[in-house]
Amino acid sequence: MPTSILDLRHLRTLLALLEAGSVSRAAALQNVTQSALSHQLKALEEFYGLTLFERKSAPVSFTPAGRRLLDLAQAVIPAVEKAERDIARLGGHGAGKMRIAVECHTCFDWLMPSMDALRLRWPEVEQDIVSGFQSDPVGLLHQDRADVAIVSEVDADERDVQVHPLFEFDIVAILPLGHPLLAHDHLEAADFAGQTLITYPVPDEMLDLVRQVLRPAGVEPPRRTTELTVAMLQLVASGRGFAALPLWAVQTYLQRGYVAQQRIGAHGLTGRLYAVTRRPAEGSGRDDAYLDDFVQVMRETSLRTLPGIRLL
């Protein structure tokens, strides 16, 4: 057999394909284009002269040849990653404190599993969430009061930071069961006029529904605020108004038939989340390998635990 073309990149791709269930989602998980990832897989299949997975199955189904390479990937990649973490520790870069600032109330639902996953990989790292709601998490980076900021938008003029795309998600209107507007194909801005809009107590610039839908249409419904998602859902269920929340955050309540959902806009309403870190000073080198790893851990964990998200 000729010299193998197999390398760590190929093994990581196979693991991503198993984790994500499709080529497109695996490409997003690996931060490469779908074309580039497909090219990697095709090169492997041409080298071995065998198909590695069934392309028409959902999720993908591996052939015997694919499963054999997947067994190799599952043995090798964790060992390589552990060795790299050990080397970082030997270099004094495996311990420290990571302070996380968030601007969204629903962030904690998905952030905690990511923090748990990182703790298993970097047990020496002390993780801390900056207490209280933060209207400007990125500003805390510049003040050295946070190391990671989780935000829905990043100012294009922001300096000395690195922006790491995480995922996008559907935002849906939450209505009481049996509401007449549930019979509509979707909701328009005018449907919110006269209806009490229940939101978190945050500036309008941080509410996708207001920023993307209501404000451009000149619609300003009456407001009511609450800090807690469950309180918001209770108010909706009792007919006190509407809410707009990430689909993944309310999936359990929808499945229980507690409240109902409706699409916002003909093409739906989408929200996005990003992780922002300080850019290392030129020539200083990165002395916190766990910080870079945390971004990938958030992407992997969110893909695994949150229904309906799409990696950016």
Side-chain angles (χ1 to χ4, degrees), residues 69-91:
L69 288 180
L70 191 58
D71 289 342
L72 177 64
Q74 290 172 322
V76 170
I77 294 301
V80 169
E81 291 179 344
K82 184 179 185 304
E84 290 177 335
R85 292 194 295 272
D86 289 342
I87 291 171
R89 293 184 181 96
L90 291 172

Side-chain angles (χ1 to χ4, degrees), residues 6-227:
L6 192 64
D7 60 24
L8 293 180
R9 176 190 54 171
H10 296 119
L11 297 181
R12 293 184 194 277
T13 291
L14 291 170
L15 287 180
L17 190 58
L18 175 67
E19 179 78 17
S22 71
V23 172
S24 60
R25 286 163 64 89
L29 187 58
Q30 291 290 87
N31 288 312
V32 300
T33 66
Q34 183 173 339
S35 175
L37 189 135
S38 295
H39 182 74
Q40 286 183 36
L41 294 168
K42 184 173 178 59
L44 278 180
E45 291 179 327
E46 290 179 349
F47 177 78
Y48 291 114
L50 292 168
T51 300
L52 298 181
F53 65 99
E54 301 296 337
R55 285 164 170 76
K56 294 184 179 180
S57 63
V60 295
S61 174
F62 288 85
T63 65
R67 288 196 297 273
R68 182 62 187 89
L69 288 180
L70 191 58
D71 289 342
L72 177 64
Q74 290 172 322
V76 170
I77 294 301
V80 169
E81 291 179 344
K82 184 179 185 304
E84 290 177 335
R85 292 194 295 272
D86 289 342
I87 291 171
R89 293 184 181 96
L90 291 172
H93 308 318
K97 184 171 183 177
M98 185 174 64
R99 300 160 297 175
I100 308 167
V102 299
E103 70 172 22
C104 56
H105 286 67
T106 54
C107 282
F108 299 105
D109 294 339
W110 64 264
L111 187 57
M112 293 303 180
S114 297
M115 294 175 68
D116 290 341
L118 188 77
R119 191 172 295 109
L120 295 175
R121 297 162 69 101
W122 300 92
E124 302 92 341
V125 175
E126 181 183 350
Q127 302 181 58
D128 188 23
I129 296 178
V130 180
S131 62
F133 167 76
Q134 305 297 329
S135 60
D136 182 21
V138 176
L140 298 183
L141 298 180
H142 297 302
Q143 300 169 33
D144 195 27
R145 295 169 54 197
D147 304 294
V148 183
I150 307 297
V151 298
S152 56
E153 282 194 319
V154 182
D155 189 338
D157 298 326
E158 196 73 55
R159 302 292 182 183
D160 300 323
V161 298
Q162 293 178 312
V163 180
H164 312 274
L166 295 178
F167 56 86
E168 67 177 10
F169 52 91
D170 295 325
I171 299 172
V172 294
I174 305 301
L175 283 66
L177 297 177
H179 196 283
L181 286 176
L182 292 173
H184 292 203
D185 179 67
H186 62 271
L187 298 185
E188 299 287 355
D191 293 320
F192 290 88
Q195 302 286 344
T196 298
L197 178 61
I198 307 168
T199 72
Y200 300 112
V202 300
D204 283 355
E205 290 71 23
M206 300 173 65
L207 297 172
D208 290 282
L209 175 66
V210 175
R211 188 178 68 249
Q212 298 187 47
V213 179
L214 301 184
R215 183 182 293 165
V219 175
E220 297 184 7
R223 303 286 190 90
R224 180 168 182 169
T225 63
T226 178
E227 291 275 358

